[in-house]
Amino acid sequence: MGFGREEIAACVARKGLLSIELDLSSGGECRCAACRAVPENSRAVLSSREIGEVLRQAREEGARRCILVDSEPVSHPELPQIIDAARGLEMEVELFACGTAIDGAMAAFLRQRAVAVVLKFNFDGDGAFKSALGNLKESGYGQGTGPALAAAISVSNETLPQIPQIWRWARSQGIEPYVQIITPRDGEAAKIVHPDRAKSLFEELGRIDTQEFGRTWQKPAALIGRSCNRHQFACHVTPCGTIFACVGVTIPLGNVRVEPLHEILELSEVLENLRAFGDKVKEPCRTCCKTTDCYGCRGAAYQLTGDYLAGDQMCWKAMGAAIETLPVSAVGLVPHGKSMRMVDQLTKVGERNAQTTFLVTNQCVLVDGSGRLDELAFIEMIAQSFAACHGFHLSLDDRRRHRGLLLGVKDLVLSAEACVGDRLTVHLRKVTRFGAFGVVEGDIYRQDGKLLATGQIKIWRREDAVTEMSV
């Protein structure tokens, strides 16, 4: 990504940025992952003025580079003004765009502003890519001097055989080839390029560069497709201003319309865990001999497992490894035995929040003779949901040792009863932490959507038994 180890380490220490990525939209309602997940809460896209304010805040956090991902197929109508705003803040600009966005005038503007351009390669060979490439070359791109010109080349099972020849073509044209293994989305596991094929591809590309173009890669060829490390120094901004750790880890960390970027970066539990990947990332990535250079694609891990700290299933070194996937059983995540366990599964882990489920049975000690669940169980469900969420981010050894205490209850409101046969869902929110003490809130719903209880609890956990965690 162009940043040295020392400056990345300093960025991690201050919880700042070196780069920021903005996903642009040409107008209307946002269609980012957060808005699609809750359509009724979808937001309008950021105005150019709001984008300028995001850039200003990012610059204050240390960002020197701005990556703009232009909308398709219609370019953002105020793209030149956004680029000027970034350049006015003395930020480098890298633009990802499709061919239709770059006519002769735009190419000349980009060259004048020293914008690095990444064109989306079209395997269908349409005229837009060729036209844009010609316009950029006429403006001075690809001549060995000035801003970089690259082609974003997506790898799939269908396109993989063509990649080596496209790589050679790009190199011969003075174009930097960006070969991307696409992060899978929900339901797309079947489309994953097999890790062995991906490894072989990057090894072949490494050989082509060494033998045909005299280029030596700084990292082993097989790791290049997995090791962006961007979570230590960058974040992704969706068209509506929602912040993601990256385009693949689609957990909303906050929204710049609601809270300052500094607060989001400072308080995010997701970013805190990703910055400390050496202690937090799970097996097999955790003990991989390449961990100093690579900790797997966090976006792929999240999309395939629901866990952004999981092992990277798309990595060739992870083949055959057992990798947890949400939902996961609470057995082993909480220290309670079967009769007192008030959580069956951990189903979701987000930014300072989680969800668990529990099926009320007559084997539960808090169920009376009539099949009614005692109200005290609601308090225990919130506490155990926190324990399950916390335990999920621990290593297997630490899970066996982690313990805590429920210290108090506040603002408990009971709205309805639960009985044997009811399936309950706990929506947990982490409020604050002070040393070993924390405060969490929980809402408990029945399967019919009825809110049964809500409340806040104070907890304590034994710090010497586990690694540090954000509440």
Side-chain angles (χ1 to χ4, degrees):
M1 299 293 289
F3 302 114
R5 290 183 183 273
E6 290 185 1
E7 56 185 339
I8 291 175
C11 181
V12 168
R14 70 172 190 271
K15 299 183 179 181
L17 295 173
L18 293 174
S19 177
I20 189 166
E21 180 178 300
L22 288 91
D23 195 353
L24 304 179
S25 176
S26 57
E29 293 294 314
C30 180
R31 294 292 298 160
C32 72
C35 289
R36 291 197 306 271
V38 190
E40 62 271 21
N41 293 338
S42 63
R43 304 169 185 256
V45 301
L46 297 173
S47 66
S48 60
R49 181 191 62 79
E50 289 174 312
I51 292 172
E53 175 60 19
V54 173
L55 291 172
R56 185 193 65 77
Q57 293 184 41
R59 191 70 181 94
E60 289 184 348
E61 296 303 313
R64 304 201 309 268
R65 177 183 300 161
C66 168
I67 299 175
L68 301 176
V69 182
D70 197 15
S71 56
E72 298 182 32
V74 179
S75 180
H76 193 287
E78 296 181 274
L79 179 60
Q81 292 91 322
I82 295 171
I83 291 172
D84 279 342
R87 296 298 289 146
L89 292 166
E90 299 184 344
M91 299 174 74
E92 300 173 7
V93 178
E94 186 171 339
L95 174 67
F96 282 70
C98 63
T100 57
I102 301 178
D103 57 15
M106 177 57 78
F109 170 82
L110 295 174
R111 180 63 182 85
Q112 185 182 36
R113 299 302 192 273
V115 175
V117 177
V118 184
L119 272 182
K120 181 180 179 181
F121 185 85
N122 194 312
F123 286 88
D124 298 329
D126 69 353
F129 176 85
K130 294 179 180 178
S131 176
L133 183 59
N135 292 330
L136 289 165
K137 288 206 161 193
E138 286 183 11
S139 297
Y141 281 88
Q143 307 303 317
T145 59
L149 174 61
I153 307 165
S154 298
V155 179
S156 67
N157 287 304
E158 293 73 26
T159 63
L160 190 146
Q162 306 174 55
I163 302 300
Q165 194 57 37
I166 295 171
W167 185 278
R168 290 186 175 94
W169 166 82
R171 285 287 193 228
S172 69
Q173 296 293 313
I175 300 170
E176 188 71 22
Y178 283 8
V179 172
Q180 304 168 309
I181 298 181
I182 299 301
T183 298
R185 300 296 179 181
D186 292 340
E188 291 186 339
K191 299 181 181 180
I192 293 175
V193 176
H194 192 276
D196 265 348
R197 296 189 74 194
K199 173 177 178 284
S200 297
L201 171 64
F202 282 100
E203 288 176 338
E204 181 177 1
L205 298 180
R207 284 194 297 271
I208 291 172
D209 262 5
T210 300
Q211 297 173 7
E212 300 180 25
F213 296 96
R215 291 170 173 257
T216 302
W217 292 9
Q218 293 181 348
K219 294 182 180 180
L223 292 183
I224 294 297
R226 316 301 314 149
S227 53
C228 70
N229 294 342
R230 68 181 59 184
H231 309 100
Q232 299 177 73
F233 57 82
C235 67
H236 179 87
V237 186
T238 74
C240 68
T242 296
I243 303 296
F244 293 154
C246 72
V247 70
V249 182
T250 51
I251 299 174
L253 310 182
N255 189 284
V256 292
R257 283 175 166 149
V258 178
E259 52 198 320
L261 180 60
H262 173 79
E263 290 187 7
I264 297 173
L265 300 175
E266 176 76 19
L267 300 177
S268 169
E269 179 182 69
V270 171
L271 290 179
E272 180 179 356
N273 287 335
L274 289 171
R275 293 182 190 114
F277 71 89
D279 296 322
K280 297 290 187 177
V281 74
K282 298 180 181 178
E283 298 293 358
C285 294
R286 185 169 188 167
T287 55
C288 176
C289 62
K290 303 297 184 182
T291 300
T292 55
D293 295 312
C294 168
Y295 57 107
C297 177
R298 297 297 92 217
Y302 177 71
Q303 294 296 329
L304 291 172
T305 70
D307 177 14
Y308 59 93
L309 294 173
D312 179 3
Q313 295 183 26
M314 293 177 65
C315 176
W316 61 275
K317 291 178 72 66
M319 287 192 298
I323 295 176
E324 279 185 325
T325 300
L326 288 171
V328 64
S329 171
V331 177
L333 300 182
V334 299
H336 306 76
K338 184 176 181 180
S339 63
M340 274 302 296
R341 192 182 305 123
M342 302 293 167
V343 173
D344 292 330
Q345 285 189 322
L346 177 67
T347 59
K348 182 179 179 182
V349 176
E351 173 57 51
R352 302 163 68 87
N353 62 69
Q355 288 184 20
T356 62
T357 59
F358 177 62
L359 177 64
V360 182
T361 70
N362 54 20
Q363 296 180 351
C364 176
V365 297
L366 294 179
V367 170
D368 64 20
S370 68
R372 171 183 169 275
L373 183 67
D374 192 285
E375 295 167 348
L376 290 175
F378 295 140
I379 301 171
E380 190 64 24
M381 288 176 66
I382 297 173
Q384 291 190 27
S385 294
F386 169 78
C389 175
H390 179 44
F392 184 64
H393 285 324
L394 301 178
S395 69
L396 294 179
D397 286 339
D398 284 337
R399 286 180 187 180
R400 287 189 283 268
R401 297 194 299 268
H402 96 98
R403 295 291 186 272
L405 293 175
L406 171 61
L407 300 180
V409 182
K410 180 181 178 182
D411 298 331
L412 181 65
V413 178
L414 305 175
S415 304
E417 296 180 345
C419 299
V420 169
D422 286 339
R423 184 171 295 278
L424 309 182
T425 300
V426 180
H427 295 245
L428 185 80
R429 298 176 300 280
K430 301 175 183 179
V431 179
T432 190
R433 184 192 71 184
F434 184 77
F437 300 89
V439 176
V440 298
E441 297 175 341
D443 301 326
I444 302 173
Y445 292 86
R446 199 165 53 202
Q447 67 270 15
D448 59 3
K450 175 68 175 179
L451 177 64
L452 305 187
T454 182
Q456 185 180 97
I457 64 170
K458 180 182 290 186
I459 51 91
W460 171 87
R461 61 181 184 80
R462 204 173 79 198
E463 289 189 306
D464 61 348
V466 296
T467 53
E468 188 171 357
M469 175 275 311
S470 288
V471 175

